[in-house]
């Protein structure tokens, strides 16, 4: 639908963009998001935010997104900016050059993978193992590979290649389960596109590879961006934010640092609830693992999850994100901004910049989980007698959360948390001053 029509009929039905299979209608959470004229970022307002040569007024765009999300017709395009794929200060020509370079890079990686496993890029995918742990081919008993008429000669001895091949069938099994209610994934070609992107990402990021849950993060990019390479880079930039959540080596789960931060937040703003959860053996809040791991994909409908993500990314936006990613810097968090750039930050990030909050584990998603716990405060204190009760109470939020309200509550909790931490810091400074006088 054009921007003009959207402006006139802001409350349009979104089913035409993400149709649900008829037999799944009763099983999916109710969609709460509505595109609203004057609030939601429309195609017309999106195009009007660019200068003649392509510079984007990102501050204006962020304000609109934070008010009412993004219209489905332009979500993929806007997400590329929110995720740092492109610099809003670049021109149309500069971005086109970057896009072409990235497509070529993706094509090179895909060819590299195809040379090892030719089913990649064929429109098909595998759901059965193709090699043993010691590198022996299993294709004689693997109908998926036999149907494609290819095989692996000899034993796989290269450690990286073997590790990658061992995970390909798990990606396929997860792809089959991904967003099954969407008509989009009735197509094997679309499922194979998701498999290709995840398989190639696991080849490129061989440190972490593929971990279950990445399919839930990647799926919307496949739906929103028609070009496979563009979808890959959108997912890759999303993983720059989230990849540590999926780290599973050294006996630790990567998301544990965020769960620890969540525990600190609740202990600071609601000590009574924190102590209750501790008494129930809920220390470090592992019951919130799934929410943080896949960013509430299971608690919202597909439409509302997308709305939640773009609200979060807009609120967390920092104008230095593109240059930070391009430099691959690990020494800076990108929050050194001047007054002009501060106006280009999202609400959440602006507060972090002003207070000098450096902790990368304090993502908006952590405060979002804290807001959910606070909304269930009374019920948790009154009814939760064990961790099973906690999980059951939190499960009740599925399909009942309002994304915008939840984000606004998260901002309030962030403000309260930072204020209490500042008060504590001042108190400690006073104690230190008193101690120095006594000494």
């Amino acid at each position: 639908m054009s921007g003009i029509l959207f402006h006139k009929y802001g409350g349009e039905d979104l089913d035409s963009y993400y149709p649900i299979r008829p037999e799944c209608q009763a099983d999916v959470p109710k969609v709460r998001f509505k595109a609203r004229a004057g609030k939601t970022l429309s195609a017309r307002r999106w195009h009007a935010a660019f200068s003649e040569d392509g510079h984007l007024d990102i501050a204006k765009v962020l304000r609109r997104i934070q008010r009412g999300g993004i219209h489905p017709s332009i979500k993929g395009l806007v997400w590329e900016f929110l995720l740092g794929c492109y610099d809003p200060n670049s021109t149309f020509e500069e971005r086109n050059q970057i896009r072409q370079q990235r497509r070529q890079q993706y094509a090179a990686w895909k060819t590299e993978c195809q040379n090892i496993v030719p089913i990649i890029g064929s429109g098909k995918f595998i759901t059965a193992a193709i090699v043993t742990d010691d590198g022996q081919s299993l294709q004689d008993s693997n109908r998926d590979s036999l149907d494609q008429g290819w095989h692996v000669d000899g034993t796989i001895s290269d450690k990286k290649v073997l590790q990658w091949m061992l995970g390909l069938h798990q990606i396929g099994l997860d792809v089959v389960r991904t967003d099954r209610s969407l008509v989009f994934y009735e197509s094997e070609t679309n499922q194979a596109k998701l498999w290709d992107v995840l398989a190639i990402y696991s080849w490129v990021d061989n440190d972490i590879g593929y971990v279950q849950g990445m399919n839930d993060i990647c799926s919307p990019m496949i739906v929103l961006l028609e070009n496979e390479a563009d979808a890959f880079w959108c997912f890759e930039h999303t993983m720059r934010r989230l990849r540590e959540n999926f780290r599973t080596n050294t006996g630790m789960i990567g998301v544990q640092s965020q769960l620890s931060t969540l525990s600190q937040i609740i202990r600071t703003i609601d000590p009574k609830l924190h102590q209750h959860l501790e008494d129930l053996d809920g220390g470090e809040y592992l019951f919130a693992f799934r929410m943080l791991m896949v960013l509430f994909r299971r608690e919202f409908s597909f439409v509302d999850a997308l709305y939640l993500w773009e609200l979060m990314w807009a609120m967390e936006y920092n104008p230095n994100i593109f240059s930070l990613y391009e430099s691959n810097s690990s020494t800076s968090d990108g929050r050194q901004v001047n007054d002009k750039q501060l106006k280009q930050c999202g609400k959440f990030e602006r507060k972090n910049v002003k207070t000098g909050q450096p902790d990368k584990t304090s993502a908006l998603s952590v405060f979002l989980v804290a807001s959910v716990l606070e909304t269930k405060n009374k019920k948790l204190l009154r009814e939760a007698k064990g961790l099973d009760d906690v999980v059951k109470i939190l499960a009740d939020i599925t399909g009942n959360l309002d994304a915008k309200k939840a984000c606004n509550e998260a901002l309030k909790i962030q403000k309260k948390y930072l204020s209490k931490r500042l008060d504590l810091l001042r108190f400690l400074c006073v104690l230190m001053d008193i101690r120095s006088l006594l000494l």
Side-chain angles (χ1 to χ4, degrees):
M1 180 173 287
S2 71
I4 295 176
L5 286 176
F6 166 63
H7 182 72
K8 185 176 180 181
Y9 303 108
E12 67 177 292
D13 188 353
L14 302 180
D15 288 346
S16 60
Y17 290 94
Y18 319 111
I20 302 296
R21 294 163 59 182
E23 66 271 23
C24 299
Q25 292 282 353
D27 299 325
V28 298
K30 179 182 177 182
V31 175
R32 304 174 70 93
F33 171 71
K34 301 293 182 184
R36 302 185 186 280
K39 292 186 177 181
T40 302
L41 178 66
S42 66
R44 181 177 64 82
R45 288 189 177 273
W46 168 245
H47 295 306
F50 289 92
S51 67
E52 187 175 346
D53 63 351
H55 292 93
L56 175 63
D57 186 344
I58 190 67
K60 182 185 295 184
V61 168
L62 293 178
R63 287 196 297 270
R64 179 66 59 170
I65 296 171
Q66 289 166 160
R67 288 181 66 190
I70 305 168
H71 190 265
S73 62
I74 54 170
K75 274 186 189 291
L77 298 174
V78 183
W79 278 24
E80 289 180 303
F81 282 89
L82 293 180
L83 292 167
C85 295
Y86 299 110
D87 186 349
N89 293 318
S90 61
T91 64
F92 290 127
E93 182 178 352
E94 290 168 340
R95 290 195 293 276
N96 185 57
Q97 290 177 355
I98 292 174
R99 187 181 295 274
Q100 294 307 316
Q101 290 169 359
R102 287 177 178 162
R103 287 179 177 179
Q104 291 172 9
Q105 178 64 76
Y106 179 74
W109 283 330
K110 189 170 185 178
T111 298
E112 195 174 357
C113 292
Q114 284 175 322
N115 289 336
I116 306 170
V117 180
I119 196 173
I120 288 177
S122 69
K124 303 287 185 178
F125 60 98
I126 61 173
T127 56
I130 56 176
V131 290
T132 63
D133 289 344
D134 60 359
Q136 298 296 320
S137 173
L138 284 172
Q139 289 166 296
D140 289 341
S141 60
N142 185 343
R143 176 52 50 188
D144 285 339
S145 61
L146 291 175
D147 287 345
Q148 299 305 312
W150 64 272
H151 65 281
V152 175
D153 293 323
T155 301
I156 305 299
S157 57
D158 185 290
K159 185 177 180 180
K160 176 185 176 181
V161 172
L162 176 59
Q163 194 63 36
W164 175 67
M165 292 180 69
L166 286 170
L168 292 179
H169 76 284
Q170 183 59 58
I171 297 176
L173 290 171
D174 290 344
V175 162
V176 172
R177 294 190 285 258
T178 303
D179 291 322
R180 288 179 296 182
S181 63
L182 296 181
V183 171
F184 180 85
Y185 283 117
E186 285 185 315
S187 163
E188 185 179 19
T189 300
N190 290 335
Q191 288 183 317
K193 184 177 174 182
L194 175 59
W195 185 75
D196 283 347
V197 168
L198 291 170
I200 294 167
Y201 178 83
S202 69
W203 171 255
V204 175
D205 187 0
N206 62 301
D207 177 32
I208 291 179
Y210 173 78
V211 179
Q212 285 181 293
M214 289 183 181
N215 54 308
D216 292 309
I217 302 298
C218 185
S219 173
M221 286 73 174
I222 302 299
V223 174
L224 296 178
L225 292 160
E226 184 176 354
N227 184 280
E228 185 180 308
D230 296 345
F232 170 87
W233 285 107
C234 196
F235 172 64
E236 191 270 349
H237 277 65
T238 306
M239 287 304 298
R240 292 186 186 223
R241 295 165 173 257
L242 301 175
R243 69 187 295 273
E244 291 303 315
N245 284 4
F246 292 92
R247 189 177 292 281
T248 56
N249 56 2
T250 66
M252 298 288 287
I253 53 174
V255 79
Q256 200 155 5
S257 58
Q258 289 193 340
L259 292 171
S260 179
T261 300
L262 173 64
S263 175
Q264 294 174 24
I265 293 170
I266 297 299
R267 182 171 56 208
T268 301
I269 67 169
D270 194 340
K272 187 175 181 180
L273 176 59
H274 173 77
Q275 187 58 53
H276 182 60
L277 294 172
E278 287 279 322
D279 292 341
L280 298 178
D281 291 328
E284 294 303 283
Y285 294 25
L286 279 174
F287 53 80
F289 171 83
R290 191 181 72 179
M291 294 183 197
L292 289 173
M293 190 74 162
V294 295
L295 295 183
F296 289 85
R297 273 301 313 271
R298 310 294 172 82
E299 283 71 33
F300 286 86
S301 68
F302 184 81
V303 172
D304 289 331
L306 270 53
Y307 176 43
L308 174 69
W309 286 6
E310 61 206 25
L311 284 180
M312 291 169 58
W313 295 336
M315 291 178 178
E316 290 179 315
Y317 187 80
N318 185 299
N320 289 332
I321 185 174
F322 172 80
S323 58
L324 181 66
Y325 285 167
E326 288 299 296
S327 67
N328 290 316
S329 172
S330 60
T331 59
S332 169
D333 64 4
R335 286 178 176 161
Q336 299 299 318
V337 299
N338 55 39
D339 290 341
K340 180 181 178 180
Q341 290 174 320
L342 187 61
K343 296 178 181 178
Q344 298 176 331
C345 290
K347 293 178 181 178
F348 180 81
E349 180 65 5
R350 197 177 304 135
K351 178 68 71 173
N352 283 333
V353 171
K354 288 181 177 179
T355 58
Q357 180 73 8
D359 189 355
K360 294 181 182 179
T361 63
S362 299
L364 180 54
S365 56
V366 179
F367 288 94
L368 197 61
V369 177
S371 74
V372 170
L373 292 175
E374 281 300 282
T375 59
K376 296 292 183 179
N377 171 298
K378 293 181 180 178
K379 195 174 182 67
L380 287 168
L381 289 173
R382 183 177 63 250
E383 300 178 16
K385 308 301 182 185
L387 284 182
D388 287 344
D389 294 330
V390 174
V391 173
K392 183 178 179 180
I393 290 169
L394 294 181
D396 291 341
I397 69 174
T398 301
N400 295 316
L401 279 179
D402 181 291
K404 186 174 183 179
K405 184 177 179 180
C407 282
N408 287 335
E409 288 301 313
L411 291 176
K412 291 178 183 178
I413 288 178
Q414 179 206 27
K415 182 178 180 180
K416 183 178 180 180
Y417 173 66
L418 292 177
S419 175
K420 284 185 174 290
R421 284 194 63 179
L422 182 60
D423 289 343
L424 177 60
L425 181 61
R426 288 169 176 165
F427 175 70
L428 292 175
C429 287
V430 170
L431 286 181
M432 290 177 67
D433 289 341
I434 294 174
R435 182 182 178 188
S436 63
L437 289 174
L438 293 175
L439 293 175

